Amino acid sequence: MKRKYYLLIISTLLILSSCTKFLDTTPTSFLSPTNYYTTETQLKSALAGVYNLLAKIWQTNALNCGWDADHAFSYLTSVGSDNPSGWNVSASDPYVSDIWGWLYSGINRANFLLESIDKPVMDENERNVIKGEALFLRAFYHFLLVENWGDVPLMTKHITSPTETNAPRIPAKEVYTQIIRDMTEAEGLVKTASQVAGNPERVSKSVVRGILARVCLQMAGNPVKDVSKYAEARKWAKKVIDPDVDGFQHALNPSFQDVFIKMCKDEYDIKESIWEIGFQDPIGPYSLGSRNGSYNSYQYRNDDLANGYAYSYGFHRVPARYFFTFPNPTSATSPDERRDWTICPYTVAGIPAVETPFATNAYYTRTSGKWKREYWTKTQDKNWTGINFPLLRFSDVLLMFAEADNQVNGSPSQEAVDAVNKVRRRAFGKDLPYESVKWINITNAGSGYTSKPTVTVTGGGGNGVEVKVFVATTGRLSRIKVWNEGGSYTSAPIVTITGGGGTGATAAAVLSQRQVSNANLTGAQTASKEAFQTMIVEERGRELGFEGLRKADLVRWGLLVTYMHRVGNDIPNGDAITGIPKAASGQQYALKYFNNVSDRDVLWPFSPAEMALNSALRPQNPGW
């Protein structure tokens, strides 16, 4: 996607095995190191092949609900019952085994490159950058393996012979140690964030430091429990928060919504979105398209391209408990602006497309909504977009720093509190001037409209509002969508509706609640180490929903089974203490997504096919 440094390489340049199984037999597409890696161009092509596996893995959206844990379930019973998103996999599940194969393929490609890094005659600085990126990616692929499978083979040399079929599992702590060693070396070799500012798909020093903070937090938690790594996590996160050696300063985008609008519009903001998986327009025989905005957005089973709406599956439904983690769960509006962006507040249907707001009490039917497909204006395809996926955002780094600081000091320092408050102030719109137009309510739908009327928003001291108007086939207005919220409003502006052949329609603007709401943490939330950690669990959920981090977070906190079963209890019973309602009749199928979970789901199983090829993988992970 976009101004790519790393594009998908045609098959003749994939230089390694095209097989997906780790430690399979003879590679089927192989160029010997004796006749490859002789030029700088070939090295860069090889590195692109290492990056390529990131997109392959994150294309597998069947996994996303599983990685989102207690925040999501698939509404399709046939999908949810037999793959990782439904928490009901078998040891031979193809999604799980494919990811295993892709990760080790990426590691093997990186090893192949690293062993030939000194061959070409080239600029030494560029050689070091390529080496650093390859080292980091090898470590990152190992990190995904140890995070999801526990003790795994550690591969630091590329496989050259079909007889190399027995690679023993290495204790997770030793794998983590190698990951940290590789990433630490890479940090001194790769470019700074300012040097790759036009391409957040590339690994920079900020990427390495932020992911090292994540690696150290995982190592400090379950199941390794090396608590000495909290100090390391704090150190690496602090290096991202502080200016780079070249003066580059990461910062939050003042608008939470704009972070994801930029991704959907194919724009860059490396200050906030530090590392993204690059996807391409869904065209061409070698294109790697994205499911972002297709699987994980609102549901729309039509195409209305004239109005910017393309087919979207809306597979990811949201349980009521996640919705209730945001302020004002029973209100149409919330001071936390993340709620109605992360969780889509409307449904879409018909041609022309009509957006209909959910009823306030509609729970278990809402979908995820961070990446809204109508902002993607390039090639339209039923199944694919070119929208990138974020692997590391600055807000994540701030929250990791706060968590690690709390663990190191035994209570939250002012610096940790300030880091969280930065995230919360942005979430409550405090970094934007005054108020914006959050919603436009139709107070009278009018009649006789044969085309879209003109809607103008004037007064109130602000400006910048843009809207989209939807007219039902009955000739009545069905929706006035706020496309751009504008800003600087001190009072509600006037909404005027003219033209379109009809009469009688009226509407009223609803302002955000930025200036009247308090975003900062309370004294109770910062009173102790335990209280602050509880807040971190909730705040990471609100900020990073549907970004694939929730399961790993819950595992390292030792909360996965408890939190999944808690939602499973909500569905038939609700929760009288918190006011969370039970699911309506006909939604009970969601039960299995949460009650299926047991201690075995902390780790994925090894594929029987892989265990047959590599007997050293035995024994199988517990419970499988």
Side-chain angles (χ1 to χ4, degrees):
M1 173 181 174
K2 336 162 172 94
R3 303 179 289 274
K4 279 199 178 300
Y5 181 85
Y6 295 112
L7 295 173
L8 172 62
I9 307 304
I10 14 181
S11 57
T12 56
L13 290 182
L14 282 182
I15 58 119
L16 292 168
S17 170
S18 65
C19 302
T20 56
K21 286 187 180 297
F22 166 60
L23 292 181
D24 209 339
T25 54
T26 307
T28 59
S29 297
F30 179 84
L31 293 176
S32 167
T34 60
N35 56 27
Y36 203 68
Y37 299 111
T38 57
T39 69
E40 180 177 347
T41 298
Q42 289 175 340
L43 272 188
K44 288 180 176 178
S45 294
L47 182 59
V50 183
Y51 272 93
N52 169 257
L53 276 301
L54 287 170
K56 288 289 292 182
I57 292 165
W58 263 268
Q59 271 189 326
T60 312
N61 270 265
L63 297 172
N64 281 3
C65 282
W67 282 342
D68 294 329
D70 60 329
H71 290 166
F73 61 95
S74 172
Y75 83 99
L76 286 177
T77 55
S78 59
V79 172
S81 60
D82 58 2
N83 71 32
S85 72
W87 299 87
N88 193 28
V89 301
S90 66
S92 57
D93 185 276
Y95 292 108
V96 174
S97 60
D98 280 351
I99 286 185
W100 170 274
W102 291 329
L103 288 170
Y104 275 111
S105 180
I107 290 167
N108 205 35
R109 292 179 186 184
N111 285 334
F112 205 167
L113 187 160
L114 289 167
E115 289 165 20
S116 303
I117 192 70
D118 294 323
K119 281 192 168 188
V121 176
M122 60 183 293
D123 179 81
E124 287 303 315
N125 289 330
E126 284 301 310
R127 190 195 313 275
N128 284 336
V129 170
I130 293 171
K131 178 181 179 181
E133 292 180 46
L135 273 171
F136 173 82
L137 290 170
R138 180 177 77 177
F140 186 69
Y141 292 144
H142 273 112
F143 174 54
L144 294 177
L145 284 159
V146 74
E147 190 178 55
N148 286 290
W149 280 275
D151 300 347
V152 294
L154 177 62
M155 308 301 293
T156 56
K157 294 183 179 180
H158 91 273
I159 299 166
T160 58
S161 168
T163 62
E164 298 177 53
T165 57
N166 284 294
R169 294 170 63 181
I170 303 299
K173 188 171 184 177
E174 293 181 30
V175 179
Y176 272 110
T177 299
Q178 181 65 43
I179 291 167
I180 293 172
R181 183 181 299 121
D182 279 353
M183 288 188 178
T184 302
E185 182 178 355
E187 191 257 355
L189 299 173
V190 300
K191 294 182 178 181
T192 64
S194 59
Q195 290 172 319
V196 301
N199 195 338
E201 298 156 6
R202 288 192 67 181
V203 171
S204 68
K205 291 185 187 297
S206 295
V207 171
V208 178
R209 294 164 182 168
I211 297 298
L212 268 167
R214 184 181 296 170
V215 167
C216 290
L217 278 180
Q218 290 295 139
M219 192 175 178
N222 287 308
V224 177
K225 297 182 181 178
D226 182 354
V227 295
S228 69
K229 290 299 181 287
Y230 283 121
E232 289 292 298
R234 185 191 186 281
K235 177 190 78 174
W236 289 114
K238 188 74 163 59
K239 284 191 173 186
V240 181
I241 295 170
D242 290 343
D244 240 337
V245 290
D246 62 346
F248 186 84
Q249 179 67 65
H250 288 283
L252 296 175
N253 184 325
S255 167
F256 179 79
Q257 297 92 322
D258 192 51
V259 175
F260 304 98
I261 291 174
K262 277 186 164 60
M263 288 182 205
C264 294
K265 285 185 172 181
D266 213 5
E267 297 174 359
Y268 295 99
D269 179 14
I270 202 168
K271 285 188 174 183
E272 159 88 23
S273 190
I274 299 173
W275 191 29
E276 299 175 6
I277 297 176
F279 289 102
Q280 296 166 281
D281 289 355
I283 55 175
Y286 303 108
S287 174
L288 272 176
S290 169
R291 298 287 195 180
N292 253 5
S294 172
Y295 274 19
N296 57 347
S297 187
Y298 51 74
Q299 184 183 104
Y300 180 55
R301 297 306 178 87
N302 289 294
D303 281 302
D304 180 17
L305 300 184
N307 289 305
Y309 289 85
Y311 197 102
S312 183
Y313 290 91
F315 280 158
H316 295 186
R317 291 285 176 90
V318 179
R321 183 171 286 273
Y322 184 41
F323 190 79
F324 269 63
T325 64
F326 296 90
N328 296 2
T330 59
S331 170
T333 59
S334 172
D336 191 329
E337 298 190 351
R338 295 174 298 189
R339 189 192 77 177
D340 292 333
W341 189 264
T342 301
I343 303 172
C344 195
Y346 53 82
T347 62
V348 185
I351 301 177
V354 174
E355 291 183 3
T356 303
F358 279 107
T360 303
N361 62 350
Y363 304 112
Y364 300 97
T365 57
R366 299 172 191 261
T367 60
S368 61
K370 268 187 173 174
W371 297 274
K372 294 175 175 59
R373 184 161 187 164
E374 65 263 35
Y375 288 98
W376 173 255
T377 58
K378 298 188 179 182
T379 305
Q380 297 292 352
D381 180 272
K382 176 179 178 180
N383 294 306
W384 305 98
T385 70
I387 301 171
N388 277 8
F389 190 86
L391 289 176
L392 181 68
R393 292 197 292 116
F394 187 53
S395 57
D396 182 9
V397 176
L398 289 168
L399 294 175
M400 288 192 291
F401 170 80
E403 179 179 355
D405 180 272
N406 183 47
Q407 295 292 336
V408 169
N409 295 319
S411 62
S413 68
Q414 188 60 50
E415 197 173 10
V417 174
D418 290 344
V420 177
N421 280 340
K422 283 183 182 179
V423 176
R424 289 178 59 84
R425 285 183 59 81
R426 192 267 297 275
F428 283 61
K430 292 292 190 179
D431 296 333
L432 294 168
Y434 296 103
E435 308 294 341
S436 67
V437 175
K438 193 70 177 173
W439 200 270
I440 294 182
N441 287 328
I442 296 174
T443 52
N444 187 327
S447 62
Y449 289 95
T450 56
S451 62
K452 295 178 182 178
T454 299
V455 175
T456 57
V457 181
T458 56
N463 58 72
V465 172
E466 298 176 41
V467 300
K468 277 193 173 185
V469 183
F470 298 84
V471 177
T473 55
T474 58
R476 295 163 60 83
L477 264 63
S478 61
R479 174 94 155 92
I480 301 176
K481 177 179 181 176
V482 177
W483 184 257
N484 186 321
E485 296 183 1
S488 300
Y489 288 94
T490 56
S491 62
I494 303 300
V495 179
T496 305
I497 303 170
T498 58
T503 59
T506 58
V510 177
L511 294 183
S512 58
Q513 303 174 45
R514 294 169 182 163
Q515 306 310 313
V516 298
S517 56
N518 185 6
N520 289 342
L521 294 173
T522 66
Q525 290 172 311
T526 61
S528 67
K529 175 183 176 181
E530 293 73 22
F532 194 77
Q533 176 61 26
T534 297
M535 178 278 304
I536 287 288
V537 171
E538 296 172 350
E539 195 62 36
R540 285 186 64 81
R542 286 186 287 262
E543 175 68 23
L544 302 168
F546 310 119
E547 295 183 40
L549 299 174
R550 184 64 172 177
K551 180 192 174 185
D553 281 349
L554 292 180
V555 167
R556 67 184 171 85
W557 294 326
L559 296 174
L560 177 65
V561 176
T562 300
Y563 272 44
M564 293 296 284
H565 287 182
R566 187 172 65 173
V567 177
N569 183 70
D570 292 341
I571 293 169
N573 304 312
D575 186 336
I577 296 176
T578 58
I580 295 171
K582 65 181 180 181
S585 176
Q587 297 171 1
Q588 300 295 318
Y589 60 80
L591 260 175
K592 64 184 175 185
Y593 291 88
F594 305 100
N595 287 349
N596 278 347
V597 178
S598 65
D599 288 336
R600 76 168 191 168
D601 293 293
V602 167
L603 297 174
W604 278 340
F606 298 108
S607 162
E610 296 293 349
M611 294 176 74
L613 288 168
N614 179 12
S615 60
L617 285 179
R618 299 188 180 92
Q620 179 63 278
N621 273 333
W624 299 97

